[in-house]
Amino acid sequence: MRVAVAGGTGLIGRLIVEQARAAGHEVVILSRSHGVDLTTGAGLGDALRGTEVVIDVTNVETLSRTVSVEFFERVTRTLVDAGERAGVAHHVVLSIVGVDRVGFGYYQGKLRQEQLALAGRVPATVLRATQFFEFAGQSLARVPGPVAVVPRMSSQPVAAAEVAAELVRLAAGPAQGPAPEMAGPEVLEMSAMARRVAKAHGPRKLVIGLPLPGATGRAMAGGGLLPTGPGPRGTTTFDQWLAKP
């Protein structure tokens, strides 16, 4: 099967590319560094020629609702329209558990991405997953200095590699629409995870867990990002992931 990975140079994208190739699939990476601009569509038509499945794990780093919605609207429309013209049979999207319950600006863009993919003419599957274990370390690196302020949030985090494996599995099957939500094996608090990452791997920082203000902060701290039903569960624990060099 020929699989195109949009965002194939990022954290989750690289894992998908690696696992899809290991499974015997032909992989095309859709990114600027590979000659494809997903915001304008430049180079996309040629890249999708003969492609059967697109896996979309594109991302934008922003807290702004406006920026997030604009980015995901543009990229999703571009991918779906080009996929339809190229005869793509399945469009797979990675989203986040709780985007419809937590009014975070970035999540509004992800929710719009889901809506557009599911409404498109290319049959789609949307997998919502919880935060990756790697998110704790990323929170430490975002702001320079000796102090890291990490949002207080209750999560059921999962190893990114296990999410990549589930996306490759879904891509090889028929479109499902909204797929069962994926999560890790245990519920943890994100600022506590960040403290453990700082101690085990650095950078060494004072980690302060603070709730975001208003309804968004209450939803994050109160379980709004936890799965609401059965679905695939990762088997790697945070302790096991943290112990890896």
Side-chain angles (χ1 to χ4, degrees):
M1 185 171 68
R2 182 177 167 93
V3 179
V5 183
T9 57
L11 166 67
I12 187 72
R14 291 194 301 271
L15 293 169
I16 292 168
V17 169
E18 177 184 315
Q19 294 194 30
R21 284 176 174 161
H25 302 305
E26 178 187 358
V27 178
V28 178
I29 297 173
L30 306 179
S31 70
R32 284 195 178 96
S33 61
H34 288 76
V36 177
D37 189 330
L38 294 173
T39 61
T40 66
L44 184 56
D46 289 339
L48 289 182
R49 189 172 294 116
T51 295
E52 297 162 74
V53 181
V54 169
I55 303 177
D56 181 7
V57 289
T58 53
N59 192 33
V60 60
E61 291 191 10
T62 183
L63 301 179
S64 165
R65 177 190 183 279
T66 300
V67 172
S68 181
V69 170
E70 181 180 340
F71 173 83
F72 286 112
E73 276 194 347
R74 182 179 299 176
V75 169
T76 306
R77 290 186 191 278
T78 300
L79 278 171
V80 170
D81 290 348
E84 182 185 3
R85 291 192 296 271
V88 169
H90 191 182
H91 185 89
V92 181
V93 173
L94 173 63
S95 189
I96 304 168
V97 170
V99 290
D100 54 343
R101 302 191 303 273
V102 178
F104 190 43
Y106 171 78
Y107 291 170
Q108 300 307 300
K110 293 297 292 181
L111 189 59
R112 185 64 178 143
Q113 179 190 33
E114 290 184 7
Q115 293 166 347
L116 290 171
L118 293 172
R121 290 196 177 101
V122 178
T125 297
V126 172
L127 174 67
R128 289 181 177 178
T130 52
Q131 285 69 30
F132 304 148
F133 292 147
E134 288 82 355
F135 182 76
Q138 291 170 347
S139 298
L140 295 173
R142 281 197 176 97
V143 180
V147 178
V149 177
V150 178
R152 289 291 301 274
M153 53 194 291
S154 182
S155 179
Q156 196 168 327
V158 63
E162 293 184 311
V163 176
E166 179 66 7
L167 287 165
V168 172
R169 187 189 72 80
L170 290 170
Q176 295 187 24
E181 295 177 335
M182 183 168 189
E186 55 193 342
V187 176
L188 299 169
E189 205 283 316
M190 188 57 66
S191 60
M193 292 170 59
R195 289 189 188 95
R196 294 178 62 190
V197 171
K199 183 178 180 180
H201 299 299
R204 291 296 183 98
K205 293 188 178 189
L206 173 64
V207 177
I208 300 175
L210 289 178
L212 292 179
T216 296
R218 290 192 297 272
M220 283 185 167
L225 297 176
L226 300 179
T228 58
R233 297 292 180 262
T235 59
T236 302
T237 67
F238 185 61
D239 284 342
Q240 291 169 334
W241 177 85
L242 197 62
K244 294 179 182 179

